[in-house]
Amino acid sequence: MRETARVLQDALGLPIEEAYLEARLLAGHAISRNAAQLVAASEEVLNDEDQERIRALVERRRGGEPVAYIIGRREFFGLELKVTPAVLIPRPETELLVEQALARLPAGQPLRVLDLGTGSGAVAIAIAHERPDARVTATDRWEAALCVARENAAQLGARVRFVPSDWYAGLAGEAFDLIVSNPPYVAEGDPHLHQGDLRFEPREALVGGSDGLECLRRIVAGAPSYLRQGGWLLLEHGFDQGAECRFLLEETGFVEVFTARDLAGLERVSGGRLER
Protein backbone atom coordinates (compact mmCIF):
# COMPACT_ATOMS: atom_id res chain seq x y z
CA MET A 1 0.00 0.00 0.00
CA ARG A 2 2.88 2.39 0.70
CA GLU A 3 4.32 1.57 -2.71
CA THR A 4 0.95 2.11 -4.37
CA ALA A 5 0.50 5.45 -2.59
CA ARG A 6 3.86 6.67 -3.88
CA VAL A 7 2.96 5.58 -7.42
CA LEU A 8 -0.35 7.45 -7.28
CA GLN A 9 1.25 10.51 -5.73
CA ASP A 10 3.82 10.71 -8.52
CA ALA A 11 1.40 9.89 -11.36
CA LEU A 12 -1.55 12.06 -10.33
CA GLY A 13 0.04 14.74 -8.15
CA LEU A 14 -2.08 13.76 -5.14
CA PRO A 15 -1.29 14.80 -1.58
CA ILE A 16 0.24 11.81 0.19
CA GLU A 17 -2.75 11.43 2.55
CA GLU A 18 -5.17 11.24 -0.38
CA ALA A 19 -2.85 8.90 -2.29
CA TYR A 20 -2.68 6.55 0.69
CA LEU A 21 -6.47 6.59 1.07
CA GLU A 22 -6.86 5.66 -2.59
CA ALA A 23 -4.22 2.95 -2.23
CA ARG A 24 -6.16 1.48 0.69
CA LEU A 25 -9.43 1.53 -1.25
CA LEU A 26 -7.87 -0.12 -4.31
CA ALA A 27 -6.01 -2.76 -2.32
CA GLY A 28 -9.04 -3.57 -0.20
CA HIS A 29 -11.22 -3.93 -3.27
CA ALA A 30 -8.66 -6.13 -5.05
CA ILE A 31 -8.39 -8.64 -2.21
CA SER A 32 -11.91 -8.22 -0.74
CA ARG A 33 -10.85 -6.73 2.60
CA ASN A 34 -12.39 -3.77 4.41
CA ALA A 35 -10.33 -1.10 6.17
CA ALA A 36 -10.22 -2.91 9.51
CA GLN A 37 -9.24 -6.20 7.86
CA LEU A 38 -6.42 -4.47 5.97
CA VAL A 39 -4.99 -3.12 9.21
CA ALA A 40 -5.24 -6.52 10.86
CA ALA A 41 -3.45 -8.09 7.89
CA SER A 42 -0.75 -5.44 7.62
CA GLU A 43 2.07 -8.01 8.04
CA GLU A 44 0.52 -10.53 5.68
CA VAL A 45 2.52 -11.38 2.54
CA LEU A 46 0.38 -11.20 -0.60
CA ASN A 47 0.55 -13.96 -3.14
CA ASP A 48 1.33 -13.23 -6.79
CA GLU A 49 -2.31 -13.34 -7.81
CA ASP A 50 -3.34 -10.74 -5.21
CA GLN A 51 -0.43 -8.48 -6.17
CA GLU A 52 -1.39 -8.67 -9.83
CA ARG A 53 -5.00 -7.74 -9.07
CA ILE A 54 -3.81 -4.69 -7.14
CA ARG A 55 -1.40 -3.68 -9.90
CA ALA A 56 -4.19 -3.90 -12.49
CA LEU A 57 -6.39 -1.54 -10.48
CA VAL A 58 -3.51 0.85 -9.88
CA GLU A 59 -2.80 1.02 -13.59
CA ARG A 60 -6.41 2.00 -14.24
CA ARG A 61 -6.14 4.72 -11.61
CA ARG A 62 -2.80 5.94 -13.03
CA GLY A 63 -4.68 6.47 -16.30
CA GLY A 64 -7.02 8.85 -14.49
CA GLU A 65 -10.05 6.59 -14.07
CA PRO A 66 -11.90 7.64 -10.88
CA VAL A 67 -11.52 5.35 -7.88
CA ALA A 68 -15.30 5.28 -7.43
CA TYR A 69 -15.77 3.75 -10.88
CA ILE A 70 -12.92 1.28 -10.38
CA ILE A 71 -14.27 -0.10 -7.10
CA GLY A 72 -17.92 0.57 -8.00
CA ARG A 73 -18.96 2.42 -4.89
CA ARG A 74 -18.82 5.76 -3.07
CA GLU A 75 -19.80 6.85 0.42
CA PHE A 76 -22.30 9.68 0.67
CA PHE A 77 -23.96 11.00 3.84
CA GLY A 78 -22.77 7.91 5.69
CA LEU A 79 -24.29 5.55 3.10
CA GLU A 80 -22.37 3.33 0.70
CA LEU A 81 -23.73 3.75 -2.82
CA LYS A 82 -23.14 1.82 -5.99
CA VAL A 83 -21.78 4.01 -8.78
CA THR A 84 -21.14 3.26 -12.44
CA PRO A 85 -20.04 5.41 -15.40
CA ALA A 86 -23.77 5.95 -16.05
CA VAL A 87 -24.01 8.32 -13.06
CA LEU A 88 -22.17 11.27 -11.59
CA ILE A 89 -19.92 10.40 -8.66
CA PRO A 90 -21.52 11.72 -5.43
CA ARG A 91 -19.37 14.43 -3.86
CA PRO A 92 -19.01 15.68 -0.28
CA GLU A 93 -20.21 19.18 -1.17
CA THR A 94 -23.58 17.77 -2.26
CA GLU A 95 -24.18 16.67 1.32
CA LEU A 96 -24.91 20.36 1.98
CA LEU A 97 -27.97 20.04 -0.27
CA VAL A 98 -29.24 17.16 1.88
CA GLU A 99 -28.57 19.08 5.09
CA GLN A 100 -30.46 22.13 3.82
CA ALA A 101 -33.36 19.92 2.73
CA LEU A 102 -33.61 18.13 6.08
CA ALA A 103 -33.61 21.49 7.88
CA ARG A 104 -36.77 22.40 5.96
CA LEU A 105 -38.72 19.22 6.68
CA PRO A 106 -40.66 19.75 9.93
CA ALA A 107 -40.69 16.66 12.15
CA GLY A 108 -43.87 14.62 12.35
CA GLN A 109 -45.26 15.75 9.01
CA PRO A 110 -45.39 13.28 6.07
CA LEU A 111 -44.23 15.80 3.48
CA ARG A 112 -43.67 15.15 -0.21
CA VAL A 113 -40.13 15.61 -1.54
CA LEU A 114 -38.98 15.65 -5.17
CA ASP A 115 -35.39 15.11 -6.32
CA LEU A 116 -34.89 16.16 -9.95
CA GLY A 117 -32.12 14.47 -11.94
CA THR A 118 -31.36 11.93 -9.23
CA GLY A 119 -28.45 10.10 -10.92
CA SER A 120 -27.22 7.48 -8.43
CA GLY A 121 -30.10 8.42 -6.13
CA ALA A 122 -27.70 9.84 -3.56
CA VAL A 123 -29.71 12.90 -2.48
CA ALA A 124 -33.14 11.23 -2.57
CA ILE A 125 -31.93 8.14 -0.70
CA ALA A 126 -30.11 10.18 1.95
CA ILE A 127 -33.27 12.22 2.61
CA ALA A 128 -35.45 9.10 2.69
CA HIS A 129 -32.99 7.38 5.03
CA GLU A 130 -32.98 10.31 7.46
CA ARG A 131 -36.72 10.96 7.15
CA PRO A 132 -38.51 7.65 6.48
CA ASP A 133 -41.84 9.41 7.04
CA ALA A 134 -41.28 11.63 3.96
CA ARG A 135 -42.75 10.59 0.62
CA VAL A 136 -39.73 10.93 -1.68
CA THR A 137 -39.96 10.92 -5.47
CA ALA A 138 -36.86 10.97 -7.68
CA THR A 139 -36.66 11.53 -11.43
CA ASP A 140 -34.09 11.10 -14.14
CA ARG A 141 -34.33 11.11 -17.93
CA TRP A 142 -31.76 8.31 -18.29
CA GLU A 143 -32.90 4.74 -17.62
CA ALA A 144 -29.31 3.59 -16.95
CA ALA A 145 -29.11 6.09 -14.09
CA LEU A 146 -32.49 5.04 -12.71
CA CYS A 147 -31.36 1.41 -12.67
CA VAL A 148 -28.41 2.36 -10.45
CA ALA A 149 -30.62 4.51 -8.21
CA ARG A 150 -33.24 1.78 -7.79
CA GLU A 151 -30.55 -0.74 -6.87
CA ASN A 152 -29.10 1.65 -4.28
CA ALA A 153 -32.51 2.31 -2.73
CA ALA A 154 -33.27 -1.41 -2.53
CA GLN A 155 -29.88 -2.22 -1.04
CA LEU A 156 -30.24 0.48 1.63
CA GLY A 157 -33.93 -0.08 2.34
CA ALA A 158 -34.86 3.47 1.35
CA ARG A 159 -38.45 4.09 0.28
CA VAL A 160 -38.10 6.20 -2.85
CA ARG A 161 -40.40 6.29 -5.86
CA PHE A 162 -38.46 6.59 -9.12
CA VAL A 163 -40.03 8.18 -12.20
CA PRO A 164 -38.53 8.40 -15.71
CA SER A 165 -38.87 12.10 -16.47
CA ASP A 166 -37.10 14.97 -18.20
CA TRP A 167 -37.27 17.35 -15.25
CA TYR A 168 -41.02 17.88 -14.61
CA ALA A 169 -42.34 16.24 -17.78
CA GLY A 170 -43.52 13.02 -16.12
CA LEU A 171 -45.09 14.64 -13.05
CA ALA A 172 -48.29 16.22 -14.41
CA GLY A 173 -50.76 17.14 -11.68
CA GLU A 174 -48.39 16.43 -8.77
CA ALA A 175 -47.39 18.87 -6.04
CA PHE A 176 -44.56 18.73 -3.51
CA ASP A 177 -43.54 20.44 -0.29
CA LEU A 178 -39.85 20.46 -1.18
CA ILE A 179 -37.97 20.18 -4.48
CA VAL A 180 -34.22 19.57 -4.54
CA SER A 181 -31.84 19.18 -7.45
CA ASN A 182 -28.15 18.85 -8.23
CA PRO A 183 -28.49 19.52 -11.96
CA PRO A 184 -25.80 19.88 -14.66
CA TYR A 185 -24.26 23.32 -14.11
CA VAL A 186 -20.86 23.27 -15.86
CA ALA A 187 -20.52 25.53 -18.91
CA GLU A 188 -19.83 23.77 -22.23
CA GLY A 189 -16.45 25.41 -22.66
CA ASP A 190 -15.20 24.89 -19.11
CA PRO A 191 -11.64 23.46 -19.27
CA HIS A 192 -12.30 21.38 -16.13
CA LEU A 193 -14.36 19.02 -18.28
CA HIS A 194 -11.08 17.75 -19.69
CA GLN A 195 -9.38 17.32 -16.33
CA GLY A 196 -9.44 14.78 -13.50
CA ASP A 197 -12.51 12.67 -12.80
CA LEU A 198 -14.76 14.83 -14.99
CA ARG A 199 -13.20 13.29 -18.11
CA PHE A 200 -14.83 9.97 -17.22
CA GLU A 201 -18.21 11.13 -15.90
CA PRO A 202 -21.36 11.33 -18.06
CA ARG A 203 -21.33 14.64 -19.91
CA GLU A 204 -25.13 14.92 -19.75
CA ALA A 205 -24.86 15.00 -15.94
CA LEU A 206 -22.29 17.81 -16.01
CA VAL A 207 -22.95 20.30 -18.80
CA GLY A 208 -25.72 22.86 -18.37
CA GLY A 209 -25.56 24.69 -21.69
CA SER A 210 -23.22 27.39 -22.92
CA ASP A 211 -23.18 29.26 -19.58
CA GLY A 212 -23.94 26.34 -17.25
CA LEU A 213 -27.29 27.84 -16.20
CA GLU A 214 -29.65 26.25 -18.72
CA CYS A 215 -30.93 23.47 -16.42
CA LEU A 216 -31.08 25.76 -13.40
CA ARG A 217 -33.29 28.17 -15.36
CA ARG A 218 -35.66 25.36 -16.40
CA ILE A 219 -35.96 24.01 -12.88
CA VAL A 220 -36.66 27.40 -11.31
CA ALA A 221 -39.16 28.39 -14.01
CA GLY A 222 -41.12 25.16 -13.68
CA ALA A 223 -41.07 24.86 -9.90
CA PRO A 224 -44.12 27.04 -9.07
CA SER A 225 -46.39 24.60 -10.93
CA TYR A 226 -45.19 21.69 -8.77
CA LEU A 227 -44.72 23.27 -5.36
CA ARG A 228 -47.40 23.60 -2.71
CA GLN A 229 -47.91 26.95 -1.05
CA GLY A 230 -44.95 27.66 1.21
CA GLY A 231 -42.87 24.93 -0.43
CA TRP A 232 -39.11 25.18 -0.86
CA LEU A 233 -36.86 24.83 -3.89
CA LEU A 234 -33.19 24.04 -3.20
CA LEU A 235 -30.50 23.89 -5.88
CA GLU A 236 -26.85 22.93 -5.94
CA HIS A 237 -24.79 25.10 -8.32
CA GLY A 238 -21.29 26.17 -9.23
CA PHE A 239 -19.21 28.23 -6.82
CA ASP A 240 -19.66 31.34 -8.99
CA GLN A 241 -23.38 30.93 -9.76
CA GLY A 242 -24.90 31.93 -6.45
CA ALA A 243 -25.82 35.48 -7.45
CA GLU A 244 -27.45 34.33 -10.69
CA CYS A 245 -29.44 31.63 -8.88
CA ARG A 246 -30.70 34.12 -6.30
CA PHE A 247 -31.77 36.42 -9.11
CA LEU A 248 -33.64 33.60 -10.87
CA LEU A 249 -35.43 32.63 -7.67
CA GLU A 250 -36.43 36.18 -6.78
CA GLU A 251 -37.55 36.93 -10.34
CA THR A 252 -39.80 33.86 -10.25
CA GLY A 253 -41.48 34.98 -7.02
CA PHE A 254 -39.59 33.05 -4.35
CA VAL A 255 -39.07 34.65 -0.94
CA GLU A 256 -36.55 34.02 1.85
CA VAL A 257 -33.98 33.48 -0.88
CA PHE A 258 -30.58 32.41 0.45
CA THR A 259 -27.26 30.85 -0.50
CA ALA A 260 -25.37 28.41 1.75
CA ARG A 261 -21.62 27.85 1.61
CA ASP A 262 -19.88 24.48 1.62
CA LEU A 263 -17.02 23.44 3.91
CA ALA A 264 -14.56 25.15 1.58
CA GLY A 265 -16.43 28.43 2.06
CA LEU A 266 -17.80 28.44 -1.50
CA GLU A 267 -21.37 29.32 -2.44
CA ARG A 268 -22.88 25.92 -3.22
CA VAL A 269 -26.64 25.71 -2.51
CA SER A 270 -29.29 28.34 -3.14
CA GLY A 271 -32.98 28.18 -2.44
CA GLY A 272 -36.19 29.98 -1.73
CA ARG A 273 -39.75 29.51 -0.49
CA LEU A 274 -42.77 29.85 -2.75
CA GLU A 275 -45.27 32.31 -1.32
CA ARG A 276 -48.61 32.64 -3.07
Side-chain angles (χ1 to χ4, degrees):
M1 285 167 55
R2 284 193 295 268
E3 178 186 348
T4 295
R6 285 195 294 269
V7 168
L8 296 178
Q9 183 183 27
D10 292 342
L12 303 173
L14 301 176
I16 188 58
E17 297 84 1
E18 186 176 343
Y20 193 81
L21 172 61
E22 291 195 359
R24 180 169 59 80
L25 290 170
L26 294 173
H29 181 69
I31 62 175
S32 301
R33 305 281 183 93
N34 62 32
Q37 290 170 333
L38 284 176
V39 172
S42 61
E43 301 302 319
E44 182 179 324
V45 177
L46 297 177
N47 59 40
D48 291 344
E49 189 175 307
D50 286 340
Q51 290 190 52
E52 184 53 40
R53 278 197 291 265
I54 294 174
R55 288 193 192 100
L57 298 187
V58 172
E59 282 305 305
R60 289 172 63 183
R61 182 60 184 133
R62 285 183 66 188
E65 187 175 350
V67 171
Y69 289 159
I70 295 173
I71 68 176
R73 65 183 188 274
R74 183 66 170 259
E75 184 178 321
F76 179 82
F77 218 77
L79 305 171
E80 188 168 282
L81 300 171
K82 173 182 177 178
V83 293
T84 75
V87 299
L88 200 68
I89 299 169
R91 288 168 167 78
E93 54 264 34
T94 303
E95 293 185 356
L96 178 63
L97 180 62
V98 176
E99 293 166 358
Q100 293 294 320
L102 293 173
R104 288 164 177 78
L105 289 176
Q109 298 183 34
L111 303 179
R112 296 196 68 194
V113 178
L114 172 63
D115 175 28
L116 292 170
T118 196
S120 66
V123 172
I125 291 169
I127 292 172
H129 185 266
E130 294 293 317
R131 289 293 304 270
D133 59 322
R135 297 167 60 192
V136 182
T137 296
T139 72
D140 205 287
R141 63 180 296 193
W142 304 105
E143 183 57 32
L146 287 174
C147 285
V148 175
R150 290 190 188 102
E151 187 173 338
N152 279 325
Q155 183 68 31
L156 294 165
R159 295 177 57 188
V160 180
R161 166 191 168 224
F162 294 100
V163 178
S165 179
D166 184 4
W167 302 129
Y168 303 103
L171 302 169
E174 298 196 43
F176 301 88
D177 300 286
L178 173 69
I179 297 175
V180 296
S181 185
N182 175 21
Y185 55 73
V186 181
E188 286 177 351
D190 194 315
H192 292 95
L193 292 169
H194 308 288
Q195 301 170 11
D197 289 357
L198 297 189
R199 295 172 295 164
F200 295 83
E201 295 184 86
R203 190 174 178 84
E204 62 271 12
L206 292 167
V207 177
S210 59
D211 62 356
L213 295 166
E214 181 179 308
C215 298
L216 290 162
R217 291 190 189 97
R218 289 182 61 186
I219 292 169
V220 174
S225 298
Y226 297 90
L227 272 176
R228 292 173 175 165
Q229 183 176 357
W232 285 87
L233 172 63
L234 304 177
L235 302 164
E236 180 174 332
H237 52 73
F239 71 94
D240 57 351
Q241 295 172 329
E244 185 64 34
C245 284
R246 292 191 296 273
F247 173 78
L248 290 172
L249 289 161
E250 291 168 351
E251 188 181 45
T252 308
F254 285 88
V255 298
E256 299 179 43
V257 173
F258 74 96
T259 297
R261 295 178 181 269
D262 61 22
L263 292 177
L266 302 174
E267 293 191 333
R268 184 62 59 188
V269 172
S270 292
R273 185 172 62 82
L274 186 67
E275 186 177 65
R276 61 173 182 227

